[in-house]
Amino acid sequence: MALLDGEVYEAYRHELLNRYRQLLRTLGDKVTKDKIKKVREAFDYAARAHEGTFRKSGEPYIFHPLAVAQIAAGELGLGTTSVISALLHDVVEDTDITLDDIERKFGSKVSEIINGLTKISVVFETVDKDSSLQAENFKKMLLTLGEDLRVILIKLCDRLHNMRTLGSVPDKTKLKIASETLYIYAPLAHRLGLNAIKTEMEDLSLKFTEPQTYRDISAKIAESKQSRQRYIREFIEPLKAELESSGVDISEIKGRPKSIYSIHRKMQKQGIPFEEVYDAFAIRVIVNAPIHREKIDCWRVYSIVTDQYRPHEGRLRDWLSRPKNNGYSALHTTVLGPKGRWVEVQIRSKRMDDIAERGLAAHWRYKAENPSGKSNKHSQQDDAFDNWLNSVKETLENNDLSALDLVNEFKSTLLGEDIYVFTPKGDVKALPIGSVALDFGFNIHTEVGLKTIGAKVNGKLVPISYSLKNGDIVEVLTTQKPRATESWLEMVKTARAKSKIREFLKDEKTKLSGQGRNIMARLFQKHGLNFTDNSIKTITKFYKYSSPNEFFNAVALGKIRMTKDLLLDILAKKTPISETKEIEIKEKKKSAGQIVFGEDYELPYSLAKCCNPLPGEPIFGFVTVSDGVKIHRTTCPNASKLMSQYGYRIIPASWQTQYKNAFDVKLSVRGIDDVGIVSKIADIISKDMEVNMKSINIRANDDGTFGGIIEVMVNTSHDLDLLVHKIKSTHKYIEVSRIDETVE
Ligand code: MN
């Protein structure tokens, strides 16, 4: 072997050959001679390329790619393309060899994968502190998810091997790599269903970040091994006869200690010592069964176990009927075992066990390497996985997100656990924990999401912010026009909803500011003024907007009305009109004072359209730039913004005790349809002596709900409260709310 000629390899020669042969054994005899030849070529090629370089441990570098290939083949069950890519994964980055060289020698698929892997690591080694650059780098890795999943899988193998050999790198790097692994790689491995890799990554991270804790817990697990095994024997004993006569082929029953990391988490979370972590291990029963019998056999085992030991109420987790969407499938239950101890029992088939450890990569590998494979049935797991991959892609396509936001979003929404909810027709949707009704709308379709005004969950009306729970039956209620606002971004959980709302708001803003710009341009033209960048800047500054676009938005929304004089004033850079001056000007056309300001003085005012305050309600005055004093309710949706940003323009105000005018109020009503509901409501309003109806506009929808707007005139907030109460009492499922308009 030419590659082993160098002296430095002598000492390692034997070991290297051993490991190479082990790799071939792992690939097994199903692999064709041709492919073995390619693997050999890749191995030689990589060894030559890395010749003369060493790892921190002192080993020749080639041991690393060989180990990564071994993990890919042995622990993930990946095929030769992946093995070849793993062998070559550091070649382009660390040596003079180019991607073209790789493509010529090993074909385009391998070079694509190497390209992905190289892209990931470019920034990686050089960046230490800058989290945004680190995020940038991670973003690159995620982008490769969309290209070829093997890139990520090999990256995970690479990271795992680096973690296994982390002992020999400097402390500072150690901590960085370990915490990064814990933050993003382990959750990613979990999401891909690679349980064994995830667990090992977590344990190793703990080993390097908290060595003492790690040693303590692993020592205690080792200590308790005997008593654990004794307990398991005791647990199985009474089941033996039943299991044997049941005809179920039991492959294995074992006690699995929890991982060091998860025991540590539990001790921390509950503030308890090791000895009190009652579920430090679970009993796992694995059955041999052909695929069509595996569920039945699992349930049979379940029934034998629970005949003997009382199951914990509400601790049955059936992932047989509906696998988790990282592909995990099994039956979990907690039973009262010997010595009065609660024990978790996990029941699954050999195949499920394999998927649980190696993840969906197993399915995927089959698809990729045998695209025409007929036995590749489309399973529930595949669906779930494809869905997940699609939402990853969607998140990534959203270019608005900074790299850091993207990483955080990815972590919180795409790497978390899911809940399952149902459409009224019984279709299942998987959503991340914490999703709200609005997320469901967006999950159905973007158009639906944008127009969602509420939902029926298990038949009851709920607001869009309602937190969904496992098993909920959800039906969204929509309007004609999109309703999305900034506040929705705070409400939704899913990346998909967020990105769609952002897109929508951005479009709206662009449209609006275009309109605003036109309005201003026309105004300038009309008065024979030049519409220049400079004058736009001056006006924007005058009105304290952060950018011309924001200003144009305000113009389009009618928040700013400008006269020629004012325009000339502003352009001449005169000082802003002082608040007192403006008030004095308006004082001349005084309105009938029903409101007193401050201690006891009167000012002209008008009622803000956004919240239409009523006599009796707490209010405040807001001095506007060009429209005098506006009265808002303190509960106005815009109040907090006005108060926090323009505190100096707020004046205290209250209603005079005598007043006689009536006030306009708009009410929104929604409910589940009921015969004659409209006439019932109309009846109530018309009989109310304190209320005048202006209009009533309610329609029944095809989906069994109704909704609409009622306009009435009332004298006081008290009258209004009474009216709302009466309308609500007409029907069990009716919602009445006052319509406020958020203008910003
Ligand atoms: Mn590497």
Side-chain angles (χ1 to χ4, degrees):
M1 290 176 80
L3 69 107
L4 295 175
D5 283 351
E7 278 172 48
V8 283
Y9 284 106
E10 269 316 309
Y12 290 105
R13 178 180 177 145
H14 186 65
E15 182 58 24
L16 192 57
L17 265 179
N18 266 346
R19 293 198 196 168
Y20 176 70
R21 290 200 190 102
Q22 193 199 341
L23 176 64
L24 291 189
R25 275 198 302 279
T26 307
L27 282 172
D29 39 16
K30 273 173 278 171
V31 181
T32 61
K33 280 232 163 58
D34 271 3
K35 284 188 171 167
I36 294 292
K37 214 178 128 216
K38 276 282 168 215
V39 171
R40 177 54 187 259
E41 274 171 34
F43 175 56
D44 284 353
Y45 198 78
R48 215 171 291 125
H50 290 299
E51 189 160 8
T53 53
F54 301 87
R55 304 199 82 212
K56 290 267 165 28
S57 61
E59 280 181 335
Y61 197 85
I62 183 66
F63 276 90
H64 167 64
L66 183 56
V68 175
Q70 178 64 41
I71 296 172
E75 293 171 51
L76 291 189
L78 297 178
T80 47
T81 307
S82 304
V83 164
I84 290 168
S85 305
L87 286 169
L88 298 169
H89 83 270
D90 278 333
V91 157
V92 172
E93 196 191 327
D94 294 350
T95 77
D96 294 336
I97 288 163
T98 66
L99 272 179
D100 285 343
D101 297 335
I102 300 284
E103 179 165 0
R104 233 172 292 126
K105 208 146 168 38
F106 299 98
S108 60
K109 198 69 235 173
V110 170
S111 85
E112 269 167 37
I113 295 175
I114 305 274
N115 186 23
L117 285 161
T118 309
K119 267 196 276 179
I120 294 172
S121 48
V122 170
V123 203
F124 215 71
E125 308 306 330
T126 54
V127 180
D128 254 330
K129 292 182 203 90
D130 193 330
S131 58
S132 68
L133 268 181
Q134 213 146 299
E136 191 64 50
N137 186 52
F138 182 69
K139 182 175 177 179
K140 284 185 185 146
M141 173 167 92
L142 291 179
L143 287 170
T144 61
L145 264 177
E147 293 167 15
D148 191 323
L149 194 58
R150 280 176 287 194
V151 176
I152 288 290
L153 296 176
I154 296 169
K155 183 69 200 169
L156 287 170
C157 298
D158 184 26
R159 175 50 64 119
L160 182 60
H161 185 244
N162 286 335
M163 285 298 291
R164 282 177 184 171
T165 52
L166 201 57
S168 41
V169 309
D171 278 354
K172 206 182 92 190
T173 321
K174 223 181 252 177
L175 285 181
K176 181 194 149 230
I177 294 190
S179 40
E180 209 177 57
T181 301
L182 199 55
Y183 186 74
I184 212 84
Y185 286 91
L188 186 58
H190 174 66
R191 205 57 185 72
L192 294 171
L194 308 166
N195 189 48
I197 288 185
K198 168 220 164 202
T199 304
E200 190 179 345
M201 279 181 168
E202 284 176 346
D203 282 0
L204 287 170
S205 297
L206 188 66
K207 181 177 169 187
F208 293 110
T209 52
E210 296 181 46
Q212 191 55 47
T213 313
Y214 178 86
R215 276 195 297 271
D216 288 350
I217 297 177
S218 41
K220 284 190 168 140
I221 291 178
E223 257 170 49
S224 58
K225 190 175 175 191
Q226 280 205 335
S227 70
R228 189 167 62 241
Q229 282 170 339
R230 211 177 313 126
Y231 187 85
I232 291 161
R233 277 197 300 276
E234 215 176 306
F235 184 92
I236 298 168
E237 197 52 45
L239 304 173
K240 269 187 179 160
E242 270 296 310
L243 284 173
E244 252 159 51
S245 63
S246 70
V248 177
D249 179 5
I250 304 287
S251 155
E252 201 181 355
I253 301 180
K254 57 187 173 185
R256 285 274 304 192
K258 265 199 158 143
S259 77
I260 298 170
Y261 179 76
S262 58
I263 291 176
H264 165 64
R265 282 277 308 261
K266 193 137 202 174
M267 287 165 61
Q268 264 197 332
K269 235 161 101 186
Q270 306 185 355
I272 51 174
F274 178 86
E275 290 69 23
E276 285 173 33
V277 179
Y278 78 91
D279 55 352
F281 71 92
I283 290 178
R284 188 172 296 166
V285 184
I286 297 168
V287 303
N288 274 321
I291 193 153
H292 68 275
R293 281 195 57 91
E294 56 185 7
K295 285 182 195 172
I296 303 170
D297 284 2
C298 287
W299 282 113
R300 184 157 302 160
V301 171
Y302 171 82
S303 111
I304 292 168
V305 170
T306 53
D307 275 352
Q308 180 68 32
Y309 302 112
R310 180 163 75 81
H312 188 300
E313 221 40 69
R315 285 297 290 271
L316 173 64
R317 298 279 178 273
D318 171 15
W319 289 303
L320 284 182
S321 323
R322 192 164 302 291
K324 285 191 189 183
N325 71 0
N326 68 6
Y328 185 77
S329 182
L331 203 54
H332 288 193
T333 181
T334 300
V335 301
L336 195 59
K339 301 192 177 110
R341 269 173 75 174
W342 289 107
V343 189
E344 179 173 292
V345 183
Q346 307 171 349
I347 305 164
R348 61 207 200 195
S349 72
K350 194 96 190 60
R351 184 190 67 89
M352 295 170 190
D353 193 51
D354 197 38
I355 292 176
E357 295 305 320
R358 289 175 163 195
L360 282 172
H363 293 256
W364 180 86
R365 166 191 46 137
Y366 191 83
K367 257 195 208 171
E369 299 204 343
N370 305 284
S372 59
K374 287 219 174 66
S375 58
N376 179 22
K377 269 205 298 184
H378 204 68
S379 66
Q380 266 180 336
Q381 277 110 324
D382 283 340
D383 280 346
F385 189 67
D386 288 348
N387 282 342
W388 180 75
L389 212 52
N390 281 335
S391 45
V392 169
K393 284 179 191 166
E394 261 175 40
T395 311
L396 294 171
E397 277 160 15
N398 182 1
N399 301 319
D400 276 6
L401 288 179
S402 74
L404 203 57
D405 284 347
L406 181 94
V407 172
N408 288 335
E409 191 140 315
F410 185 82
K411 194 172 150 58
S412 70
T413 71
L414 293 168
L415 294 181
E417 294 286 330
D418 285 328
I419 52 166
Y420 297 95
V421 292
F422 299 86
T423 68
K425 282 182 187 155
D427 294 336
V428 186
K429 302 271 178 192
L431 292 168
I433 284 181
S435 293
V436 298
L438 191 53
D439 286 299
F440 187 87
F442 279 97
N443 186 285
I444 290 175
H445 199 278
T446 303
E447 290 301 304
V448 175
L450 290 170
K451 293 174 182 172
T452 299
I453 50 161
K456 275 197 282 183
V457 170
N458 307 323
K460 282 189 186 162
L461 276 182
V462 299
I464 53 176
S465 59
Y466 176 87
S467 277
L468 298 173
K469 284 179 260 325
N470 243 332
D472 277 347
I473 300 169
V474 190
E475 182 182 352
V476 289
L477 308 175
T478 58
T479 49
Q480 304 291 329
K481 274 190 178 168
R483 286 289 190 96
T485 64
E486 290 277 341
S487 63
W488 281 22
L489 289 170
E490 303 296 311
M491 202 185 294
V492 294
K493 169 85 180 171
T494 55
R496 184 198 162 90
K498 271 190 194 150
S499 73
K500 295 300 177 192
I501 294 167
R502 270 196 209 100
E503 251 169 55
F504 172 80
L505 293 175
K506 205 174 141 199
D507 284 359
E508 286 296 290
K509 266 202 163 161
T510 316
K511 258 189 247 162
L512 270 182
S513 67
Q515 287 170 14
R517 176 178 273 274
N518 286 340
I519 293 172
M520 286 310 294
R522 259 182 271 127
L523 187 70
F524 270 69
Q525 206 183 18
K526 199 170 130 196
H527 301 305
L529 296 164
N530 277 336
F531 191 53
T532 63
D533 281 356
N534 250 343
S535 44
I536 296 167
K537 260 187 216 155
T538 309
I539 304 179
T540 302
K541 217 172 137 192
F542 176 84
Y543 281 102
K544 296 195 172 76
Y545 282 96
S546 58
S547 70
N549 271 344
E550 296 292 321
F551 168 70
F552 289 138
N553 266 326
V555 172
L557 289 169
K559 278 189 269 180
I560 290 171
R561 260 165 266 128
M562 215 181 284
T563 61
K564 183 184 179 184
D565 288 349
L566 184 56
L567 186 58
L568 289 173
D569 269 5
I570 297 170
L571 292 177
K573 300 196 179 162
K574 287 192 180 164
T575 46
I577 304 163
S578 82
E579 286 129 27
T580 41
K581 186 176 156 207
E582 181 162 330
I583 292 163
E584 278 161 20
I585 299 167
K586 303 259 170 144
E587 190 120 33
K588 290 165 199 156
K589 7 168 193 155
K590 204 169 168 179
S591 64
Q594 297 190 52
I595 288 174
V596 279
F597 293 92
E599 290 299 274
D600 185 24
Y601 58 96
E602 290 191 7
L603 283 176
Y605 64 86
S606 52
L607 300 178
K609 291 212 176 63
C610 51
C611 59
N612 293 314
L614 290 178
E617 289 178 325
I619 48 172
F620 65 93
F622 180 74
V623 183
T624 66
V625 173
S626 54
D627 209 12
V629 180
K630 292 267 183 203
I631 303 297
H632 293 263
R633 269 167 31 213
T634 51
T635 54
C636 170
N638 302 310
S640 61
K641 183 170 184 183
L642 294 177
M643 292 197 198
S644 59
Q645 291 186 3
Y646 308 101
Y648 59 94
R649 295 205 204 157
I650 304 287
I651 34 179
S654 53
W655 295 95
Q656 288 207 355
T657 30
Q658 265 110 47
Y659 40 77
K660 45 186 179 300
N661 290 10
F663 292 79
D664 263 11
V665 176
K666 273 188 193 172
L667 294 172
S668 142
V669 291
R670 288 203 312 257
I672 312 271
D673 205 2
D674 192 13
V675 183
I677 189 75
V678 175
S679 62
K680 267 192 217 164
I681 293 173
D683 212 34
I684 282 177
I685 299 175
S686 58
K687 279 186 186 144
D688 194 322
M689 298 306 285
E690 307 303 327
V691 178
N692 286 312
M693 180 150 59
K694 281 180 76 180
S695 74
I696 180 166
N697 190 354
I698 298 176
R699 35 173 270 172
N701 302 316
D702 294 340
D703 62 2
T705 65
F706 67 87
I709 290 173
I710 303 170
E711 274 185 276
V712 291
M713 297 193 71
V714 298
N715 294 314
T716 66
S717 62
H718 179 71
D719 295 343
L720 178 66
D721 290 344
L722 274 178
L723 176 66
V724 168
H725 180 76
K726 281 182 199 161
I727 297 177
K728 276 186 175 163
S729 64
T730 55
H731 191 0
K732 201 167 161 195
Y733 297 135
I734 187 165
E735 275 183 356
V736 186
S737 57
R738 186 149 162 207
I739 299 177
D740 289 324
E741 281 164 42
T742 318
V743 287
E744 293 171 74

